Amino acid sequence: MSSYAYQYVVLRCVPRPEREEFVNVGVVLYSQEAEFLAVAWDVDRERIAAFAPGLDLDRVCAALDFVDGVCAGDARGGEAATRSAGQRFGFLKAPKSTVVQPGPVHGGVAEDPAAELERLRSLLVG
C-alpha cells in the first residue's frame, strides 16, 4: 500500500480573539498525492457554551459547514469552492478574523488520508 504525504490544520473556535483562547472544533487534511481534501469537525455545544456563554453556536456550525463546502468543492463553499484542491486548502489555512480560525500547518504521512483525518479529529478535537 502507498503512503501519502499530507498537511493539516486544526480549526479553532475563537470567540474573543483578543483573549487568545480557543477550543478545537475540527481538522482539515490535504494530500496532493492522494487527491484528498476534507474536514472532520465536532462542536461540543456544552463545552463551548461553558467556555463562551452567549456565543451563537449555530454560527460556529455554519462556518464549519462552509469549510466542508470548500473542501467538497460544492455550492456551500461559494467562490472558494471553484478552485483546485491545493488552492482551496490555501484559502482554508490562511489566517482569518472570524469565530472559526485555522491553527498552524502541520504535516505527516499516512496510507489512508481519510482514516488519518478521523484519527486526528478524535485526538485533537475529541
Side-chain angles (χ1 to χ4, degrees):
M1 187 170 217
S2 298
S3 292
Y4 302 100
Y6 66 84
Q7 301 176 65
Y8 74 93
V9 293
V10 176
L11 299 176
R12 303 166 168 176
C13 176
V14 186
R16 295 179 52 195
E18 69 278 6
R19 292 193 53 154
E20 299 185 18
E21 297 173 335
F22 59 86
V23 173
N24 293 342
V25 292
V27 178
V28 176
L29 188 141
Y30 171 60
S31 173
Q32 181 178 357
E33 293 174 303
E35 299 179 358
F36 182 88
L37 175 62
V39 63
W41 57 275
D42 180 32
V43 173
D44 183 335
R45 288 178 172 267
E46 196 171 296
R47 180 176 180 214
I48 294 175
F51 173 70
L55 179 64
D56 182 351
L57 296 176
D58 290 336
R59 188 173 133 217
V60 173
C61 291
L64 290 164
D65 189 57
F66 170 78
V67 171
D68 195 23
V70 172
C71 288
D74 67 32
R76 294 171 297 153
E79 176 66 26
T82 66
R83 308 288 183 205
S84 70
Q87 290 173 319
R88 295 193 316 263
F89 182 69
F91 172 79
L92 294 170
K93 72 179 183 178
K96 307 215 179 5
S97 60
T98 63
V99 70
V100 174
Q101 300 179 6
V105 177
H106 303 281
V109 177
E111 291 180 356
D112 181 348
E116 182 67 1
L117 174 60
E118 183 52 35
R119 185 189 75 79
L120 290 169
R121 188 211 53 82
S122 179
L123 179 69
L124 302 171
V125 177

